[in-house]
């Protein structure tokens, strides 16, 4: 365990717990009133993924994401929820890592890319579950929604990052 | 800015599967005595269509009976000829189809085709004697093929009209495959080949002509398939006494086939075989055609019977929908 | 550890706006390509296809589909009714009832999805792409 300090591990554990909480909260939102696809989420937990990416780097953010998805599925108790959160989460993660490295974007732009990719991943999951491409019809709506959630996530994380300067992490 | 596009372009590719290929390339031409249309989507579509059109024209030069200098004309005129490898390949394929169908499809029916001349300018009803005189000339045994050289017995001739368009569609499919076309549709005078799916990922919708009217009898959802229809309605003439004679000759009677079918549509992985089989199965009639399908397999079938039924093979039951404007009844052929 | 050597840019910039534009454009293009092609074409008939667990179970024209149909998959059962012009899920044993709330669909391009039961009812339509024969 020499590579990681106790402080780091503690921070990651707290972030994972926070992500899990946010993703559970996300599941309670009545999104299905707008969109008849249970399992599709706004992606509030992306706040944590994005924050971890900037503060602790990609490997730690990926680890937190994986813990969140697996535990979330265990708590929800079904496999298709795991597929939705895994595909959504990892698409978002991948897009944000790439956007941050190559895009010359601020945290807002990175967040937007992540939110859009999150929804693409979820639609891909729904396509796999249904074995049908009809759900692609929901993608335009979700993408427009992702502009809102992405901006919101970006705003929250930019504030968090200013505060994080004071995190006693070194 | 280059970095930005390095990000955005992959995103676009991820987000827009299939949308980059929105505009179709289209090409039409008149060849093999029929109207042909080609459609393809995606990169390289234009080149693929041009190559396909050249290919079809080149094949017509080989297979035509009306061109003096074609391989088929030379063989028929001289009784023996050294052929282009493709002509030899198609003749070999014709012989194997003749064998498989028990002679219901036969390219050596050519002397009778000329006699009736249904598709020509001066069709007429020949006398029984005239037909009987030519019948001994019909039969696959009269055509001898050795590599790329072929010979015919005295007085015999071949007509590739029942398989040439199917062969051409096979060649077009090969060109599409070599050029990486993933979405395309081709109609060579009713001989259809659909490549991949429509650009939006849904199957191609292929209508089967209603043999008794202007509209269609049913629609099939198809991908990566050849579809060929043979029917009495396609080409025919009316004799002075009012009898209608069509172009599909029964090699046994030497006259237009007396079929209880209005049309036969064969779907399969080979355009040539689908073309030959659709003719043969029309000649056979419903019972024998269905028995042939059970015995042979490897293709799908839509039969439209004279008493108003659309009978399809079980694999098509989920892909076929009847037209609302007609009164056909759908039945599934028992396997 | 601490923050990465290059402090994160916390202010929105022009490229962010471009990213947002690209996403919006993508939404528009997908919407157009998905719905435009399926626009009902005059009197051409509309077809219903019902896929259950990834397999197409029913495929017929809307008018011939008229009647009540039930489909079961994944432990849930849906009751679908069609009057020849509209299709709707009238009842379902699935937990969310989203498929029932979707209501009636009647135009090519519309669909009803029941994710728990893995059932998709899709209306396709318009004329055929080409004719054989």
């Amino acid at each position: 365990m020499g590579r990681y300090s106790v402080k780091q591990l503690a921070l990651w554990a707290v972030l994972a717990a926070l992500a899990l909480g946010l993703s559970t909260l996300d599941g309670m939102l009545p999104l299905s009133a707008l969109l008849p696809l249970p399992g599709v989420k706004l992606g509030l937990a992306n706040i944590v993924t994005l924050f971890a990416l900037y503060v602790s780097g990609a490997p730690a953010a990926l680890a937190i994401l994986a813990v969140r998805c697996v535990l979330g599925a265990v708590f929800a108790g079904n496999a298709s929820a795991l597929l939705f959160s895994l595909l959504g989460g990892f698409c978002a993660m991948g897009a944000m890592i790439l956007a941050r490295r190559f895009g010359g974007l601020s945290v807002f732009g990175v967040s937007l890319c992540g939110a859009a990719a999150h929804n693409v991943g979820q639609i891909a999951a729904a396509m796999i579950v249904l074995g049908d491409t009809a759900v692609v019809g929901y993608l335009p709506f979700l993408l427009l929604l992702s502009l809102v959630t992405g901006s919101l996530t970006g705003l929250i994380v930019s504030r968090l990052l200013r505060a994080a300067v004071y995190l006693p992490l070194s | 800015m280059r970095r930005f596009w390095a990000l955005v372009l992959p995103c676009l590719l991820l987000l827009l599967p299939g949308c980059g290929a929105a505009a179709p390339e289209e090409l039409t031409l008149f060849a093999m005595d029929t109207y042909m249309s080609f459609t393809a989507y995606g990169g390289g579509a234009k080149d693929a269509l041009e190559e396909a059109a050249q290919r079809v024209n080149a094949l017509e030069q080989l297979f035509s009976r009306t061109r003096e200098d074609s391989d088929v004309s030379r063989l028929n005129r001289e009784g023996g000829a050294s052929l282009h490898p493709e002509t030899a390949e198609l003749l070999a394929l014709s012989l194997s189809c003749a064998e498989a169908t028990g002679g219901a499809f036969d390219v050596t029916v050519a002397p009778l085709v000329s006699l009736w001349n249904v598709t020509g300018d001066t069709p007429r009803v020949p006398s029984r004697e005239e037909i009987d005189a030519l019948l001994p000339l019909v039969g696959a045994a009269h055509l001898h093929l050795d590599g790329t050289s072929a010979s015919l017995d005295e007085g015999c001739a071949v007509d590739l009209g029942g398989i040439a368009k199917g062969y051409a569609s096979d060649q077009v499919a090969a060109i599409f495959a070599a050029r990486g076309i993933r979405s395309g549709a081709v109609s060579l005078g009713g001989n259809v080949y659909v490549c991949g799916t429509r650009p939006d990922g849904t199957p191609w919708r292929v209508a089967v002509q209603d043999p008794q009217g202007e509209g269609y009898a049913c629609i099939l959802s198809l991908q990566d398939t050849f579809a060929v229809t043979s029917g009495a309605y396609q080409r025919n003439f009316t004799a002075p006494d009012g009898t209608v004679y069509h172009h599909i000759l029964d090699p046994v009677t030497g006259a237009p086939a007396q079929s209880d079918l209005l049309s036969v549509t064969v779907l399969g992985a080979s355009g040539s075989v689908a073309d030959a089989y659709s003719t043969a199965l029309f000649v056979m009639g419903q019972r024998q055609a269905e028995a042939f399908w059970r015995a042979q397999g490897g293709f799908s079938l839509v039969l439209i019977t004279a008493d108003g039924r659309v009978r399809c093979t079980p694999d098509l039951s989920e892909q076929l929908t009847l037209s609302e404007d007609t009164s056909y009844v759908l039945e599934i052929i028992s396997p | 550890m601490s923050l990465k050597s290059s402090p994160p840019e916390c202010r929105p910039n022009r490229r962010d706006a471009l990213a947002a534009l690209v996403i919006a454009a993508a939404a528009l293009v997908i919407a157009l390509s998905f719905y435009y092609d399926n626009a009902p074409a005059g009197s051409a008939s509309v077809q219903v296809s019902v896929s259950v667990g990834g397999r197409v179970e029913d495929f017929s024209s809307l008018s011939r589909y008229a009647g009540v149909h039930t489909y079961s998959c994944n432990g849930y059962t849906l009751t679908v009714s069609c009057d020849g012009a509209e299709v709707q899920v009238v009842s379902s044993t699935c937990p969310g009832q989203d498929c029932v709330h979707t209501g009636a669909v009647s135009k090519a391009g519309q669909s009803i999805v029941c994710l728990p039961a893995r059932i998709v009812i899709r209306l396709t339509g318009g004329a055929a792409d080409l004719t054989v024969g």
Side-chain angles (χ1 to χ4, degrees):
Chain A
M1 292 303 286
R3 285 179 58 200
Y4 304 113
S5 73
V6 174
K7 273 180 188 169
Q8 282 175 309
L9 286 174
L11 174 67
W12 297 347
V14 168
L15 287 178
L18 191 59
L20 193 56
L22 281 173
S23 122
T24 309
L25 180 71
D26 202 343
M28 291 173 179
L29 293 177
L31 183 62
S32 67
L34 293 171
L35 197 76
L37 275 182
V40 173
K41 292 177 176 179
L42 283 177
L44 293 183
N46 271 346
I47 296 172
V48 176
T49 312
L50 184 58
F51 180 73
L53 178 64
Y54 274 89
V55 172
S56 305
L62 275 167
I64 292 167
L65 175 64
V67 167
R68 186 254 287 179
C69 290
V70 172
L71 285 183
V74 170
F75 291 157
N78 80 62
S80 82
L82 178 66
L83 185 68
F84 272 86
S85 62
L86 273 180
L87 268 177
F90 280 92
C91 279
M93 183 84 233
M96 292 195 294
I97 291 173
L98 289 175
R100 184 177 179 227
R101 184 160 303 167
F102 302 112
L105 299 163
S106 81
V107 68
F108 285 90
V110 173
S111 168
L112 284 172
C113 291
H118 176 259
N119 290 331
V120 171
Q122 303 225 57
I123 289 294
M127 275 164 66
I128 291 169
V129 169
L130 292 166
D132 196 294
T133 54
V135 284
V136 175
Y138 296 123
L139 191 54
F141 177 74
L142 275 175
L143 283 179
L144 292 180
L145 202 62
S146 80
L147 291 179
V148 180
T149 50
S151 311
L152 207 66
T153 304
L155 184 69
I156 293 172
V157 173
S158 71
R159 293 293 153 89
L160 284 175
L161 285 176
R162 276 177 205 161
V165 178
Y166 305 108
L167 270 179
L169 285 176
S170 48
Chain B
M1 224 28 205
R2 191 183 291 170
R3 266 203 183 168
F4 173 76
W5 286 112
L7 163 74
V8 167
L9 286 178
C11 280
L12 280 175
L13 287 179
L14 180 76
L15 291 169
L16 310 175
C19 298
E25 284 293 338
E26 288 170 342
L27 193 153
T28 56
L29 77 140
F30 196 84
M32 297 187 172
D33 198 23
T34 191
Y35 178 75
M36 301 184 169
S37 70
F38 303 77
T39 308
Y41 292 81
K46 196 172 165 58
D47 292 341
L49 294 192
E50 276 167 12
E51 190 185 342
Q54 284 172 8
R55 197 87 177 74
V56 169
N57 281 323
L59 291 176
E60 182 182 17
Q61 306 263 0
L62 295 177
F63 303 152
S64 168
R65 273 188 82 190
T66 52
R67 284 170 189 262
E68 292 279 308
D69 56 344
S70 76
D71 265 14
V72 168
S73 291
R74 279 196 302 122
L75 175 62
N76 287 341
R77 196 170 53 234
E78 292 160 18
S82 174
L83 304 170
H84 189 277
E86 296 209 276
T87 314
E89 186 192 347
L90 185 53
L91 281 174
L93 201 57
S94 303
L95 286 176
S96 71
C97 284
E99 195 187 338
T101 60
F105 169 80
D106 199 327
V107 291
T108 60
V109 80
L112 289 163
V113 173
S114 308
L115 180 64
W116 285 86
N117 203 14
V118 176
T119 58
D121 299 328
T122 54
R124 67 181 185 96
V125 186
S127 68
R128 190 69 243 176
E129 289 72 32
E130 284 176 293
I131 294 171
D132 287 341
L134 292 181
L135 270 178
L137 301 175
V138 176
H142 295 301
L143 170 62
H144 313 284
L145 194 62
D146 180 20
T148 57
S149 62
S151 64
L152 285 164
D153 291 343
E154 183 66 31
C156 298
V158 293
D159 187 319
L160 293 175
I163 195 169
K165 281 186 283 173
Y167 184 81
S169 67
D170 280 333
Q171 302 307 309
V172 172
I175 289 167
F176 277 17
R179 298 237 177 209
I181 301 297
R182 292 169 63 187
S183 177
V186 174
S187 172
L188 310 184
N191 277 38
V192 164
Y193 164 64
V194 290
C195 171
T197 61
R198 298 203 295 192
D200 65 358
T202 57
W204 289 100
R205 298 160 54 76
V206 178
V208 176
Q209 175 79 38
D210 179 1
Q212 304 186 101
E214 284 296 295
Y216 61 90
C218 59
I219 286 190
L220 295 159
S221 295
L222 301 176
Q223 48 192 63
D224 283 318
T225 308
F226 296 88
V228 184
T229 299
S230 285
Y233 66 92
Q234 289 164 331
R235 292 187 174 193
N236 49 43
F237 74 96
T238 309
D241 67 355
T243 317
V244 177
Y245 296 91
H246 62 79
H247 74 298
I248 304 173
L249 299 179
D250 184 337
V252 175
T253 65
Q258 299 289 316
S259 184
D260 56 352
L261 296 171
L262 296 179
S263 80
V264 174
T265 302
V266 175
L267 304 112
S270 158
S272 324
V273 173
D275 200 359
Y277 280 10
S278 69
T279 307
L281 268 55
F282 180 85
V283 171
M284 289 180 191
Q286 186 202 327
R287 275 175 58 107
Q288 230 190 313
E290 290 175 9
F292 180 78
W293 168 74
R294 282 185 204 100
Q296 202 82 9
F299 62 94
S300 307
L301 208 50
V302 179
L303 305 177
I304 302 182
T305 67
D307 54 0
R309 293 170 296 150
V310 172
R311 291 176 61 80
C312 72
T313 47
D315 56 306
L316 293 178
S317 63
E318 290 161 6
Q319 293 159 257
L320 185 147
T321 171
L322 284 175
S323 158
E324 288 168 29
D325 310 324
T326 57
S327 57
Y328 291 111
V329 179
L330 181 63
E331 294 176 350
I332 309 293
I333 301 171
S334 59
Chain C
M1 183 70 187
S2 81
L3 291 177
K4 288 279 164 189
S5 51
S6 60
E9 176 63 70
C10 286
R11 256 187 220 187
N13 59 30
R14 272 164 64 189
R15 290 185 176 183
D16 296 340
L18 252 170
L21 262 176
V22 167
I23 293 169
L28 191 72
V29 171
I30 294 172
L32 281 179
S33 70
F34 195 83
Y35 294 107
Y36 175 76
D37 191 47
N38 289 325
S43 64
S45 62
V46 176
Q47 275 91 43
V48 192
S49 88
V50 183
S51 107
V52 178
R55 259 191 86 248
V56 177
E57 200 120 294
D58 264 327
F59 181 70
S60 80
S61 65
L62 197 52
S63 61
R64 284 179 196 267
Y65 186 70
V68 175
H69 312 258
T70 58
Y71 304 95
S72 295
C73 183
N74 249 9
Y76 304 112
T77 301
L78 270 70
T79 306
V80 178
S81 89
C82 173
D83 64 359
E86 287 184 341
V87 183
Q88 71 182 110
V89 178
V90 285
S91 72
S92 165
T93 59
C94 69
Q97 298 289 304
D98 292 315
C99 49
V100 179
H101 295 149
T102 304
V105 292
S106 59
K107 290 197 190 75
Q110 290 184 314
S111 57
I112 304 176
V113 178
C114 185
L115 206 59
R118 300 183 61 205
I119 290 173
V120 180
I121 300 162
R122 174 144 68 161
L123 301 188
T124 54
D129 298 302
L130 64 177
T131 302
V132 60

